[in-house]
Amino acid sequence: MNAESNTRRLLIAGGGTGGHLFPALAIAEEFLARSEKNRVLFVNAGRPLDHKILDGRGMPHQTITVSGLKGMGFFHKIKVMGGFPLAVKKAADILRSFRPHVLLSVGGYSAAPAALAAKMMGIPVIIHEQNRLPGLTTRLLSPMAAEVHVSFPGTPLKTAGKKIRLTGNPVRRELVACRKKRRKTGDSLNLLILGGSQGARGLNRAVCKALPMLKGLPIRVVHQTGSADFEEVSQHYHGLGMKAEIIPFIEDMVSCYAGADLVLSRAGATTVAELAAAGLGAIFIPFPHAADNHQYHNAKAMAEAGAAVIFEEDRRTSELLVATLSACAEDPDTTEKMAGAALGLSRPDAAETLTSAIMAHMSGV
């Protein structure tokens, strides 16, 4: 028997941001764990983040030269469209070489040409959409997909019809219910601030503006600032004589989630999924310049369940932060109810469910 006859191969197309890549990695790892004969290949647009993350996890990957259309000028769009056939041809060459049984699109520039090539070659296409408001790639590709797996109930995607599956957004298994302790009356509020993500300078500055009014409250702070804002944010804390753990980047996010009572952050899809999995309520300040304001819609799903509050980034943000954090510091029941609501939204089996759906399309292998 041919040694390749029962080898299942999955090509994952997309990337460019952690929000696309981290769920894809969770799926890839689950797929590889199902059989030592399974194989995975990532195809992306070659951004430095793609190389860093995938190389760090030891995942094989190839590059398609392609860029996005949204928010770009007319001539740039013409250039991108002119290069699209070459991107499809490159994708087809990769598909012929790797011979995947299924292509999984996770969004990002490279997903469209790869999925189109797969469809033309008779390879089943499955889509995973991380955000509550579907991205352009998902909207374009959903009519040709065998299945479209979404992360939030009520995701508006009419073009997918009956192919929609509510799966959730895969996260690392060690995050699931990692917050074991419960805050009691008299306990300080352990606040985790995630200001190190893309576009989080506005969040960091809103926090710094609020610090003088938060001084003296029973709040213990861990503040991830990002490397660009580390010095500026540190100076604000030290200038006020406020003790806090201020770090550019958190390596051990699981421990930080486990020790927190409340999180203040942007509302990227991965962050929202991780908070639900960990069982943590949040104050969200969505990145106002995110495509189609998708971070607001992600945050809204948590807020509607009672797991979060949302503040827009404007001149009143600091004032609202002070009022909300003061109330949360006084009343542990507030944050514990939010935490319980967040955990109720968790779909810890998302990676397993999606992997099983992928492998169902490989049943003849």
Side-chain angles (χ1 to χ4, degrees):
M1 180 181 291
N2 187 339
E4 287 287 297
S5 62
N6 55 356
T7 297
R8 295 177 173 89
R9 293 178 294 276
L10 171 64
L11 189 142
I12 301 179
T17 69
H20 294 311
L21 276 176
F22 290 125
L25 280 166
I27 296 162
E29 289 168 357
E30 175 66 21
F31 178 75
L32 292 172
R34 297 284 179 101
S35 171
E36 62 181 12
K37 294 184 178 181
N38 287 355
R39 298 290 180 266
V40 170
L41 177 67
F42 283 78
V43 171
N44 54 65
R47 286 187 171 186
L49 181 68
D50 295 316
H51 293 299
K52 180 180 179 182
I53 292 175
L54 294 173
D55 288 342
R57 296 288 187 93
M59 291 289 178
H61 55 98
Q62 294 192 36
T63 298
I64 296 174
T65 302
V66 63
S67 58
L69 291 170
K70 200 169 185 66
M72 298 298 177
F74 175 76
F75 291 108
H76 178 85
K77 290 179 179 179
I78 293 296
K79 181 180 178 181
V80 170
M81 293 304 295
F84 191 78
L86 290 176
V88 174
K89 181 181 181 302
K90 172 66 174 177
D93 290 342
I94 294 171
L95 292 168
R96 276 190 287 269
S97 175
F98 184 62
R99 294 179 295 121
H101 299 97
V102 170
L103 181 141
L104 174 67
S105 165
V106 295
Y109 303 148
S110 60
L116 182 57
K119 183 67 175 179
M120 291 189 297
M121 297 170 71
I123 299 167
V125 174
I126 293 177
I127 294 172
H128 181 254
E129 174 57 56
Q130 300 85 32
N131 293 297
R132 191 183 198 186
L133 193 66
L136 177 62
T137 301
T138 294
R139 298 198 301 272
L140 291 174
L141 296 180
S142 59
M144 70 174 68
E147 297 178 12
V148 180
H149 291 255
V150 298
S151 301
F152 295 94
T155 297
L157 197 59
K158 293 180 181 179
T159 52
K162 295 181 180 180
K163 296 181 287 189
I164 289 183
R165 309 284 186 270
L166 177 58
T167 302
N169 199 4
V171 299
R172 291 170 289 167
R173 183 170 293 278
E174 59 266 31
L175 285 170
V176 176
C178 66
R179 182 179 181 263
K180 305 295 185 185
K181 70 179 185 63
R182 295 293 177 263
R183 185 172 165 237
K184 300 175 183 177
T185 302
D187 291 347
S188 295
L189 172 67
N190 293 299
L191 176 65
L192 174 61
I193 303 173
L194 301 177
S197 60
Q198 182 183 19
R201 174 156 289 184
L203 185 151
N204 283 332
R205 289 182 173 172
V207 170
C208 289
K209 187 177 178 181
L211 287 179
M213 294 170 280
L214 294 174
K215 187 177 181 180
L217 291 177
I219 300 176
R220 287 197 290 261
V221 176
V222 176
H223 191 152
Q224 175 183 270
T225 64
S227 56
D229 289 350
F230 176 70
E231 292 298 333
E232 179 182 339
V233 173
S234 297
Q235 288 172 10
H236 275 84
Y237 280 96
H238 297 325
L240 292 166
M242 294 180 67
K243 292 183 179 180
E245 185 179 350
I246 310 161
I247 43 181
F249 183 75
I250 295 171
E251 296 286 351
D252 184 2
M253 189 60 76
V254 176
S255 294
C256 284
Y257 281 149
D261 299 311
L262 184 69
V263 174
L264 169 59
S265 73
R266 294 302 199 192
T270 296
T271 298
V272 171
E274 288 183 349
L275 293 180
L280 273 167
I283 299 172
F284 288 125
I285 304 177
F287 181 44
H289 307 295
D292 300 317
N293 200 21
H294 69 261
Q295 286 203 8
Y296 170 78
H297 294 277
N298 293 343
K300 189 178 179 183
M302 290 269 284
E304 288 172 347
V309 294
I310 307 171
F311 298 141
E312 293 184 17
E313 185 181 312
D314 57 30
R315 54 190 175 84
R316 294 188 63 238
T317 306
S318 298
E319 176 186 334
L320 294 170
L321 277 178
V322 171
T324 302
L325 289 172
S326 298
C328 290
E330 282 184 19
D331 183 15
D333 285 345
T334 300
T335 51
E336 289 305 312
K337 287 177 181 177
M338 292 170 73
L343 195 59
L345 293 173
S346 175
R347 293 183 177 271
D349 58 350
E352 292 91 333
T353 301
L354 188 43
T355 300
S356 293
I358 290 167
M359 294 188 71
H361 287 270
M362 302 177 176
S363 57
V365 179

